[in-house]
Amino acid sequence: MSQNSARITWKEDELQKLLREIMSGIHERCVEYGRLPGTNHVNYVKGANIAGFIKVADAMIAYGVV
Amino acid sequence: MEGLKRRNPGEIEFHQAVYEVAANVFDFIADKEKYHQMKILQRIAEPDRVISFRVCWEDDNGNIRVNRGYRVQNNNSIGPYKGGIRFHPSVNQSIMKFLAFEQTFKNSLTGLSMGGGKGGADFNPRGKSDNEAMRFCQSFMNELYRHGGEDIDVPAGDIGVGAREIGYMFGQWKRLTSRFTGVLTGKGREYGGSPIRTEATGYGTVYVMQDMLERVGNSVEGKTCLVSGSGNVATYAVEKINQLGGKVVTLSDSSGLVHDKHGVDADRLAFVIDLRAKRRSGLEEYAKEYNAEFHPNARPWLVPGELAFPCATQNEVSEADAKMLIANGCIGVSEGRICPPSRTEFICSPTQESFLRPARQPMPAVSRCLVWK
């Protein structure tokens, strides 16, 4: 999408790096929202669902009743 | 949930998807008044719009055929609708709504600016000639183009929609609109496609495993890895596992399972890719070539190993499989599988929770969307 808008094709190593960064970001968000209280365990599915939900939900709240 | 079932009668897959997210989110928002006051859960479970349309086309024998196409635009609060198009006989409104709903959260989780949508048709591209696929895709796009656009809705491929179908659909979009814009992802490299896209799901699956292990001071290096599948996702996952020093001992396809104790190294992986691409034959040939074990119709999750990567459309990890994996010393599961229409969940044991990454997590779509164009 971004690449088409800008009429460029990114270089392979740039994309590799981007993929790695995005996956790390996903992992971090899963840990942030999925950590089981009082333990070092993480429920990744729960963390993923909450992290995904919050971003959309906060945007919806900002837009008001639409 | 009662209201949801009443307003969406018979849409079992959709009910289940909403229920799962609601169950996870409910604890978290229990003490946060604004989410309740603004009725966010109720609003998020109602798609922005559901488009359903007739797709007529002519087969090679001159018969007129009728299919039903869909585009569910679920939520564009954080970016244009984005999500795959699936051509499969099982496609119906419930499955489209369920996938569009899930896609919204998967896309959000990437941190990128993408909303959620899903589309498709109850059309089976298998066994169709190129001309039949072209006529179907053109007819499908004749309606879909009204609802798409680079800032509106950007579909991608999914089951049954590969480079061939994307090419035909993009061609028809271009003819109808005179615009060469990024309205579909997964295009060929010659006409605006992105490098790495094919690799992204397989690599991403392994990256998440790497992150999960690193968090607890462990690594992929030296681990015995079980991979199911032998397609795009599986082969790139194997490539990345090998780069990180892991040893892959299984691969599978619809005919059965290969158990190769030597490990699927770069040469053997090249053989698998060649097998799939050129000879179109099963993994049994691999077993013969390298003197590995072949088990017809077996599941990879019975083989002892430390890390598991479900990367096939079949052979998902059931609850019984999860227990077997744990009993065999498995410490992590990271799934790159593109979910088939029906799926089961598995519950992981609490002690393994930090590692297990059960079915239906955000990975596949995330990585497929990631280097999209």
Side-chain angles (χ1 to χ4, degrees), chain B residues 261-311:
Chain B
K261 286 173 185 147
H262 167 276
V264 184
D265 59 23
D267 288 347
R268 295 181 182 205
L269 184 61
F271 182 83
V272 173
I273 294 166
D274 185 64
L275 204 62
R276 304 261 321 179
K278 300 206 187 100
R279 282 179 269 177
R280 303 225 165 246
S281 51
L283 283 172
E284 199 166 358
E285 228 172 286
Y286 176 100
K288 281 183 196 145
E289 179 80 17
Y290 295 109
N291 199 21
E293 290 172 32
F294 183 77
H295 305 283
N297 303 317
R299 298 162 74 79
W301 320 126
L302 304 174
V303 176
E306 291 152 298
L307 305 176
F309 300 86
C311 295

Side-chain angles (χ1 to χ4, degrees), chain A residues 1-5 7-13 15-16 18-20 22-31 33 35-36 40-66, chain B residues 21 24-25 27-29 34-35 38 40-41 43-44 75 77-78 82 104-105 108-112 150 154 180 182 187 192 194-196 200 203-204 207-208 210-212 215 350-351 353-354 356-358 360 362-363 366 370-373:
Chain A
M1 256 158 83
S2 324
Q3 299 180 61
N4 276 151
S5 309
R7 299 280 185 285
I8 51 158
T9 298
W10 290 340
K11 294 233 166 42
E12 188 170 326
D13 53 345
L15 287 166
Q16 290 274 17
L18 184 66
L19 174 65
R20 190 72 196 88
I22 289 175
M23 295 316 300
S24 291
I26 288 169
H27 178 262
E28 272 168 35
R29 282 185 282 276
C30 290
V31 172
Y33 291 103
R35 195 186 291 273
L36 300 174
N40 194 28
H41 290 309
V42 174
N43 182 336
Y44 280 96
V45 173
K46 187 171 183 175
N49 276 330
I50 295 174
F53 173 85
I54 288 300
K55 191 176 168 194
V56 177
D58 288 347
M60 287 172 76
I61 289 172
Y63 300 143
V65 182
V66 288
Chain B
V21 169
N24 280 164
V25 163
D27 288 351
F28 184 79
I29 62 168
K34 63 177 178 176
Y35 297 107
M38 295 300 281
I40 292 298
L41 269 178
R43 286 163 62 191
I44 225 165
N75 194 302
S77 296
I78 60 168
K82 179 93 188 76
T104 305
F105 301 101
S108 168
L109 186 64
T110 62
L112 302 171
E150 59 181 333
V154 186
F180 191 105
K187 299 189 291 293
S194 168
I196 307 293
Y203 286 177
Y207 286 149
V208 169
Q210 193 184 16
D211 286 342
M212 292 196 293
R215 194 183 75 84
T351 52
E353 198 141 27
S354 61
L356 283 177
R357 193 184 163 75
R360 217 214 104 233
M363 251 303 305
V366 163
L370 171 69
V371 277
W372 77 100
K373 287 215 41 161

Side-chain angles (χ1 to χ4, degrees), chain B residues 56-66 128-129 131-132 135:
Chain B
C56 280
W57 55 286
E58 203 178 305
D59 68 22
D60 286 346
N61 299 320
N63 300 314
I64 294 171
R65 310 276 285 262
V66 184
K128 300 290 189 294
S129 69
N131 275 325
E132 287 176 326
R135 286 193 292 269

Side-chain angles (χ1 to χ4, degrees), chain B residues 93-351:
Chain B
Q93 183 164 306
S94 173
I95 287 174
M96 290 289 106
K97 280 166 73 177
F98 134 58
L99 293 168
F101 181 80
E102 270 195 345
Q103 197 71 46
T104 305
F105 301 101
K106 291 173 180 176
N107 289 352
S108 168
L109 186 64
T110 62
L112 302 171
S113 189
M114 297 186 291
K118 197 80 189 185
D122 56 352
F123 167 78
N124 191 354
R126 280 213 171 174
K128 300 290 189 294
S129 69
D130 287 354
N131 275 325
E132 287 176 326
M134 181 182 77
R135 286 193 292 269
F136 180 84
C137 289
Q138 289 177 344
S139 184
F140 183 82
M141 190 44 101
N142 279 349
E143 172 63 28
L144 193 71
Y145 89 99
R146 298 173 215 283
H147 313 288
E150 59 181 333
D151 300 321
I152 303 170
D153 187 349
V154 186
D158 188 52
I159 295 170
V161 178
R164 175 178 79 167
E165 288 76 17
I166 292 284
Y168 292 145
M169 285 193 278
F170 182 67
Q172 185 70 352
W173 156 268
K174 196 167 65 59
R175 175 159 74 174
L176 290 166
T177 62
S178 312
R179 291 161 67 96
F180 191 105
T181 52
V183 73
L184 282 161
T185 68
K187 299 189 291 293
R189 290 289 301 279
E190 315 77 53
Y191 52 97
S194 168
I196 307 293
R197 191 174 194 282
T198 334
E199 292 90 330
T201 308
Y203 286 177
T205 307
V206 180
Y207 286 149
V208 169
M209 179 67 88
Q210 193 184 16
D211 286 342
M212 292 196 293
L213 291 170
E214 271 175 14
R215 194 183 75 84
V216 292
N218 210 329
S219 74
V220 175
E221 198 178 348
K223 298 286 187 299
T224 302
C225 302
L226 312 175
V227 175
S228 70
S230 51
N232 265 337
V233 182
T235 49
Y236 287 113
V238 172
E239 186 184 302
K240 189 55 73 179
I241 291 167
N242 286 342
Q243 282 173 19
L244 296 175
K247 179 178 163 186
V248 177
V249 296
T250 65
L251 284 173
S252 69
D253 64 12
S254 52
S255 69
L257 164 77
V258 160
H259 182 191
D260 183 356
K261 286 173 185 147
H262 167 276
V264 184
D265 59 23
D267 288 347
R268 295 181 182 205
L269 184 61
F271 182 83
V272 173
I273 294 166
D274 185 64
L275 204 62
R276 304 261 321 179
K278 300 206 187 100
R279 282 179 269 177
R280 303 225 165 246
S281 51
L283 283 172
E284 199 166 358
E285 228 172 286
Y286 176 100
K288 281 183 196 145
E289 179 80 17
Y290 295 109
N291 199 21
E293 290 172 32
F294 183 77
H295 305 283
N297 303 317
R299 298 162 74 79
W301 320 126
L302 304 174
V303 176
E306 291 152 298
L307 305 176
F309 300 86
C311 295
T313 49
Q314 76 283 3
N315 275 336
E316 56 195 340
V317 179
S318 68
E319 189 174 343
D321 292 331
K323 285 178 179 157
M324 178 63 83
L325 282 169
I326 292 168
N328 280 336
C330 178
I331 57 167
V333 179
S334 177
E335 181 151 334
R337 191 171 58 85
I338 300 164
C339 294
S342 72
R343 38 193 195 113
T344 52
E345 299 296 315
F346 76 87
I347 314 298
C348 45
S349 95
T351 52

